[in-house]
Amino acid sequence: MRSSRTSPRVRLAALLAGAVTVGALVTAGTTTAHAADTPLRDLAAARGKAMGTAVTGSKLTGTYGDIAGAQFNWLTPGNAMKWESVEPTRGSHNWAEADQIVAFAEAHDQDVRGHTLVWHSQNPGWLANGSWTPAQLSTLMNDHIALEVGRYKGRVAAWDVVNEPFNEDGTYRQTLWYNGLGSGYIAQALTAARAADPAAKLYINDYNVEGVNAKSTALYNLVKSLKEQGVPIDGVGLQAHLILGQVPATLQQNIQRFADLGVDVAITELDIRMNLPADSAKLAQQAADYKAVMNACLAVTRCTGVTVWGFTDSDSWIPSTFPGQGAATPYDDNYAPKPAYRAIVEALGGTSTPPTGACTAVYSVTSQWNTGFTGQVKISCAGAALSGWKAGWTFGAGQKLTSVWNANCTQTGATVSCANASYNGTVPDGGSVTFGFNGSWSGSNPVPSVTLG
Ligand code: 9MR
């Protein structure tokens, strides 16, 4: 009877522990129950929204795979479905990563956002550098769409059919497609996609169209005119590659005006970048920004949901494209949820477990001889982070520092006060910083306890 009320995990823990009491079983069960917040995908689903992430196929194992599968109900291949990925050589296709991501999504009961069919960037060299007549371009585009959308028919719920068609001033971007086919390439692409999979939702996707501005107004006018002409268009994607503290004030209004045209709106590539290093004030601002984006989407029925462009800072395009910037996603490099993650939870109506992490300092003597010694202090953080640190201790047996590296220390009597050097003030969540020193001793060399401040 007791075993029928005990979870398999608790029973396993009991077996591993050998002889256990009922009290130990109860304790183990309690620990398991409060270990995790409700996943984002469940909170989002309860609000009728998608919560997605861009993913890299090769990383979908271990912790990365666990989080991608458990927390999100939509996946977008970050690069795997782009033309250069699927047809690097003309007529020779490579679907391996795209297939892998679609299979992963199906195994985890997730929807896929196909990204992207017709774009000016990440095209294979043979296509980008070829010289094509309009008729050839038209055939290339139609065939590509028929092949890729057809391959995933019934398995990809929405496609970013056309990506980034506009300049900042709202004029059409001069691309391979626009230059060869005129603005009609957009309607042609949408029509071809509809023919290849009538059930897939078809989107135009762009960046810097989150607020009301010249570019988003051009997109608005395009969608309006496509609707009037009966061209198949189901939604617009607002990429939302945002800068810390700069969520457009008109985001919700802009989402609403597209919804009022009779199309869905998705936030498709959300990230919010900051100048590095991150600190607690920036992370708090970022959390507020994520919450504002979530709230804008939640406020409009036709906003289908939010996809983040990578869920971990270790899988973000920002640091390589904007040197000195980063920390743009909801999880840090070591997969620890950041304040932004908890802000998403709260926006979706969940409650988030406050961070229980801490930073600790450990003093050790690494070598010692008749009159001297070398020591170090290692500051480590887990579930927390430091931006600027101080470490202090009191020597118990007359020891004196003679030299220090990787910190600035002063000693007054027995009291030692150290602070970070200019280059090692940041101790990231899951990371550590070590500084070292030489000292003199006589009689004994006891290890002091270090206070971190
Ligand atoms: O995340 C993608 C990155 O790995 C690529 O190097 C980059 C090349 O342009 O494209 C990134 O994704 C882009 C997306 O496909 C379209 N919107 C902008 C994204 C960031 O560049």
Side-chain angles (χ1 to χ4, degrees):
M1 230 162 79
R2 192 177 73 196
S3 66
S4 69
R5 296 203 317 269
T6 311
S7 76
R9 186 159 164 193
V10 172
R11 284 201 303 278
L12 177 62
L15 282 173
L16 291 172
V20 289
T21 64
V22 173
L25 282 172
V26 171
T27 305
T30 307
T31 307
T32 305
H34 102 139
D37 297 328
T38 307
L40 299 180
R41 60 182 291 169
D42 296 346
L43 296 170
R47 303 291 301 268
K49 301 292 181 189
M51 190 71 222
T53 182
V55 290
T56 303
S58 60
K59 298 183 180 174
L60 282 170
T61 58
T63 307
Y64 182 100
D66 290 346
I67 295 174
Q71 294 287 335
F72 299 94
N73 55 13
W74 279 70
L75 297 185
T76 305
N79 289 300
M81 288 184 166
K82 292 170 181 173
W83 202 324
E84 74 171 5
S85 300
V86 301
E87 195 182 2
T89 305
R90 191 173 186 187
S92 165
H93 292 87
N94 180 357
W95 303 104
E97 190 191 349
D99 285 354
Q100 180 208 349
I101 293 170
V102 173
F104 182 98
E106 288 171 343
H108 292 82
D109 195 21
Q110 296 166 311
D111 283 317
V112 176
R113 181 170 197 91
H115 176 84
T116 177
L117 298 167
V118 181
W119 192 21
H120 63 274
S121 182
Q122 291 185 278
N123 286 321
W126 64 264
L127 175 64
N129 304 325
S131 78
W132 312 102
T133 65
Q136 288 171 323
L137 267 185
S138 178
T139 303
L140 281 164
M141 189 177 81
N142 283 345
D143 288 353
H144 171 67
I145 292 171
L147 186 70
E148 183 155 354
V149 177
R151 180 180 184 86
Y152 297 108
K153 184 177 179 182
R155 303 175 72 199
V156 166
W159 279 100
D160 291 331
V161 177
V162 175
N163 202 35
E164 303 173 358
F166 289 110
N167 294 315
E168 298 304 291
D169 65 1
T171 56
Y172 282 108
R173 191 191 283 267
Q174 308 276 309
T175 70
L176 175 70
W177 310 109
Y178 180 81
N179 293 339
L181 301 172
S183 62
Y185 85 89
I186 296 171
Q188 184 182 329
L190 289 161
T191 303
R194 178 68 93 229
D197 186 352
K201 299 291 185 193
L202 307 180
Y203 280 67
I204 301 172
N205 189 50
D206 214 327
Y207 63 89
N208 289 351
V209 292
E210 294 75 31
V212 174
N213 58 35
K215 193 174 183 179
S216 66
T217 298
L219 179 59
Y220 177 89
N221 290 332
L222 170 64
V223 171
K224 187 165 184 284
S225 124
L226 292 171
K227 292 283 286 182
E228 284 163 5
Q229 294 165 60
V231 174
I233 172 79
D234 300 306
V236 294
L238 315 181
Q239 293 185 8
H241 294 293
L242 302 178
I243 296 170
L244 189 70
Q246 296 184 28
V247 177
T250 52
L251 175 59
Q252 184 182 324
Q253 178 194 338
N254 192 43
I255 294 172
Q256 187 67 58
R257 73 169 170 159
F258 281 103
D260 292 345
L261 274 183
V263 293
D264 291 338
V265 180
I267 307 289
T268 52
E269 304 184 14
L270 177 62
D271 51 25
I272 302 177
R273 60 188 184 266
M274 63 182 70
N275 291 324
L276 297 172
D279 61 29
S280 54
K282 292 181 201 172
L283 293 172
Q285 176 66 56
Q286 185 185 51
D289 293 345
Y290 266 90
K291 193 176 269 184
V293 174
M294 295 301 301
N295 284 339
C297 182
L298 286 160
V300 181
T301 309
R302 286 203 82 142
C303 184
T304 60
V306 175
T307 287
V308 292
W309 204 242
F311 61 86
T312 160
D313 292 339
S314 66
D315 188 40
S316 168
W317 68 297
I318 297 292
S320 60
T321 304
F322 300 96
Q325 299 182 53
T329 78
Y331 287 81
D332 73 10
D333 286 321
N334 300 301
Y335 303 119
K338 292 157 59 180
Y341 169 87
R342 290 184 283 278
I344 296 171
V345 169
E346 286 162 17
L348 290 170
T351 50
S352 62
T353 311
T356 54
C359 299
T360 54
V362 175
Y363 179 112
S364 53
V365 174
T366 54
S367 68
Q368 183 170 301
W369 55 98
N370 52 352
T371 57
F373 69 99
T374 300
Q376 67 173 35
V377 170
K378 182 175 185 182
I379 301 169
S380 308
C381 292
L386 289 174
S387 177
W389 46 263
K390 288 188 165 57
W393 64 88
T394 303
F395 278 130
Q399 301 101 316
K400 292 237 172 333
L401 292 181
T402 52
S403 64
V404 178
W405 51 96
N406 296 336
N408 297 308
C409 298
T410 56
Q411 181 171 358
T412 308
T415 306
V416 176
S417 304
C418 299
N420 59 276
S422 59
Y423 50 85
N424 65 0
T426 299
V427 187
D429 186 357
S432 65
V433 164
T434 301
F435 66 94
F437 42 86
N438 286 330
S440 62
W441 69 286
S442 65
S444 69
N445 187 17
V447 168
S449 63
V450 179
T451 306
L452 202 53

